[in-house]
């Protein structure tokens, strides 16, 4: 069920340094230090990718992170880079406005960020058209894989608020609930999620017979909850469930965090291709930081978890020039794009890292 193409990075494979043998520090660095790393990573990606890329899901995730970095730093180059990318694609939707595929809706997140800073109706013409077609349809089974929640839930939530139209919120919950309960990707006992139906208990298992709960898949889910909660009014009917979903997921991550701050690619089997992996870890840091900042989870317990993740990524994955390593490239399971090492990166992993840094910086002085 391969549907994504392998991303290439214009850098040579680099030798991995020895991994840290000590437990990563459980306290955040200063705000200025977080901002400095965010800038270094964002600047390195931009400097080494003169082509801003397509507006598919992977590059759109990078630009979502870049807009968060802009809001954190005020660096106008980031805003200009994102604006030029959106204009290059005419604020359009991959596959056209008739698409129902969640990946094609991820770019709307950055279009909305740009619209909110510089309102212009044409920026959201295609976005509103494509989502309204789904709102006006009775079909709810489009999101068959958990990644879809991150790609499309936030656009529905945000455009619903912008238009003052709760039909968008009703529809997004119907789509979410189908993925969660009808397809049974949500695991009620832990709050973690299977990537898709192939990984349900009677399906694909790890080499030792344990479940396969893919780290980045759950990272997409965690980020989806954060971004959706940021968009919805506090009294919206489904907010309570989204909050519970986020806190349950983040709570389940705490006891399985590695001592170096990362999470393994299989959350259910620490022996299944173990090692640091940045994209899932960055999304988990983002989600934990948001949960702490908004009071959904206690700071005393979960800020150290987020800090270990951030410090581990900075210590182990961020190269001196800002290149971000240990990112599992495109895939759908732990075996995808292996080996994951110091020289492996991808645009969506950089975006996740920038989102994490921007959220964590709000917890520091």
């Amino acid at each position: 069920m391969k549907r994504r193409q392998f991303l290439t990075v214009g850098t040579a494979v680099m030798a991995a340094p020895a991994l840290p043998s000590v437990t990563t520090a459980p306290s955040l660095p200063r705000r200025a230090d977080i901002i400095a790393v965010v800038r270094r990573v964002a600047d390195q990606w931009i400097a080494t990718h003169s082509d801003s890329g397509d507006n598919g899901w992977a590059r759109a995730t990078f630009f979502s992170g870049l807009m968060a970095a802009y809001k954190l730093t005020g660096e106008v180059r980031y805003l200009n880079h994102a604006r030029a990318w959106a204009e290059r694609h005419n604020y359009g939707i991959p596959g056209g406005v008739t698409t129902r595929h969640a990946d094609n809706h991820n770019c709307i997140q950055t279009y909305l960020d740009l619209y909110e800073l510089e309102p212009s109706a044409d920026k959201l013409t295609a976005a509103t058209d494509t989502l309204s077609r789904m709102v006006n349809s009775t079909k709810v089974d489009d999101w068959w894989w958990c990644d879809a929640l991150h790609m499309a839930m936030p656009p529905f939530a945000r455009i619903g608020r912008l238009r003052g139209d709760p039909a968008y919120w009703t529809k997004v919950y119907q789509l979410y609930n189908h993925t969660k309960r009808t397809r049974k990707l949500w695991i009620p006992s832990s709050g973690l999620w299977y990537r898709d139906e192939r990984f349900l208990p009677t399906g694909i298992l790890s080499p030792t017979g344990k479940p396969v709960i893919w780290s980045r898949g759950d990272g997409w889910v965690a980020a989806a909850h954060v971004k959706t909660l940021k968009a919805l009014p506090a009294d919206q009917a489904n907010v309570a469930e989204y909050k519970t979903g986020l806190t349950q997921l983040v709570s389940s991550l705490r006891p399985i965090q590695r001592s170096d701050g990362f999470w393994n690619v299989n959350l259910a089997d620490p022996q299944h291709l173990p090692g640091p992996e940045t994209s899932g870890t960055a999304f988990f840091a983002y989600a934990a930081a948001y949960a702490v900042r908004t009071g959904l989870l206690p700071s005393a317990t979960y800020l150290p978890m987020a800090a270990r993740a951030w410090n581990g990524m900075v210590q182990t994955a961020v190269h001196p020039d800002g290149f971000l390593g240990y990112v599992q490239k495109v895939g759908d399971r732990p075996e995808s794009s292996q080996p994951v090492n110091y020289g492996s990166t991808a645009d969506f992993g950089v975006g996740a890292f920038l989102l994490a840094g921007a959220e964590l910086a709000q917890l520091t002085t």
Side-chain angles (χ1 to χ4, degrees):
M1 202 176 291
K2 291 287 183 182
R3 60 184 182 83
R4 296 177 170 173
Q5 295 183 345
F6 189 78
L7 291 179
T8 59
V9 178
T11 54
V13 174
M14 304 155 203
L19 295 179
S21 59
V22 297
T23 300
T24 307
S27 58
L28 283 174
R30 297 177 308 149
R31 176 183 173 87
D33 294 331
I34 294 176
I35 291 173
V37 176
V38 165
R39 292 179 68 106
R40 181 154 44 106
V41 171
D43 290 348
Q44 193 278 340
W45 182 272
I46 293 170
T48 55
H49 294 80
S50 57
D51 183 344
S52 61
D54 64 22
N55 60 345
W57 68 272
R59 195 53 60 94
T61 302
F62 165 74
F63 278 101
S64 176
L66 189 66
M67 287 302 295
Y70 165 70
K71 293 171 187 176
L72 173 67
T73 65
E75 176 55 68
V76 176
R77 288 186 302 109
Y78 301 163
L79 174 61
N80 290 342
H81 191 58
R83 186 196 298 113
W85 169 79
E87 290 177 351
R88 172 183 177 181
H89 298 291
N90 297 312
Y91 289 87
I93 308 299
V97 295
T98 61
T99 184
R100 299 181 65 91
H101 202 291
D103 284 357
N104 294 334
H105 293 149
N106 194 24
C107 58
I108 298 172
Q109 298 189 46
T110 300
Y111 299 167
L112 281 159
D113 289 339
L114 292 165
Y115 174 88
E116 289 169 2
L117 291 169
E118 302 166 339
S120 175
D122 61 321
K123 293 176 180 176
L124 298 182
T125 300
T128 303
D129 189 352
T130 188
L131 296 190
S132 66
R133 290 169 187 263
M134 294 185 69
V135 169
N136 294 324
S137 164
T138 59
K139 193 171 185 290
V140 297
D141 62 352
D142 300 279
W143 298 350
W144 53 264
W145 72 114
C146 74
D147 317 25
L149 303 186
H150 168 269
M151 310 307 174
M153 283 184 72
F156 276 94
R158 293 175 69 178
I159 287 185
R161 185 160 193 166
L162 187 66
R163 292 170 61 91
D165 187 350
Y168 285 82
W169 302 334
T170 299
K171 188 66 179 186
V172 75
Y173 181 76
Q174 291 170 345
L175 290 156
Y176 166 85
N177 191 56
H178 182 90
T179 307
K180 181 176 183 176
R181 294 188 173 88
T182 304
R183 292 191 182 274
K184 300 181 180 179
L185 301 191
W186 175 60
I187 306 168
S189 61
S190 66
L192 300 175
W193 293 60
Y194 296 112
R195 196 271 176 174
D196 58 61
E197 290 168 294
R198 295 171 298 166
F199 299 92
L200 294 177
T202 57
I204 298 170
L205 300 174
S206 78
T208 60
K210 294 182 180 178
V212 175
I213 301 176
W214 185 40
S215 178
R216 186 163 70 242
D218 277 64
W220 291 127
V221 173
H225 282 78
V226 170
K227 291 180 174 184
T228 300
L229 285 168
K230 285 186 174 188
L232 291 174
D235 60 354
Q236 198 276 327
N238 306 115
V239 161
E241 181 174 340
Y242 296 144
K243 286 181 176 179
T244 299
L246 177 63
T247 57
Q248 188 183 18
L249 191 160
V250 172
S251 297
S252 292
L253 293 169
R254 182 169 168 267
I256 57 174
Q257 186 177 26
R258 292 162 50 97
S259 63
D260 60 9
F262 290 85
W263 281 267
N264 289 309
V265 288
N266 185 355
L267 300 176
D269 186 349
Q271 300 308 311
H272 187 190
L273 297 166
E277 197 287 308
T278 302
S279 63
T281 296
F283 279 132
F284 296 151
Y286 173 58
Y290 172 81
V292 167
R293 182 174 65 79
T294 56
L296 295 177
L297 288 171
S299 176
T301 302
Y302 289 93
L303 183 55
M305 175 180 129
R308 286 190 187 96
W310 178 256
N311 293 335
M313 290 188 291
V314 172
Q315 177 179 339
T316 301
V318 178
H319 297 205
D321 68 351
F323 180 99
L324 184 69
Y326 288 103
V327 177
Q328 184 183 20
K329 298 182 183 182
V330 175
D332 61 3
R333 65 187 75 191
E335 287 82 3
S336 299
S337 298
Q338 290 287 347
V340 175
N341 56 39
Y342 190 60
S344 56
T345 197
D347 42 10
F348 53 84
V350 174
F353 183 86
L354 300 179
L355 286 166
E359 193 66 40
L360 283 161
Q362 296 185 65
L363 296 171
T364 61
T365 57

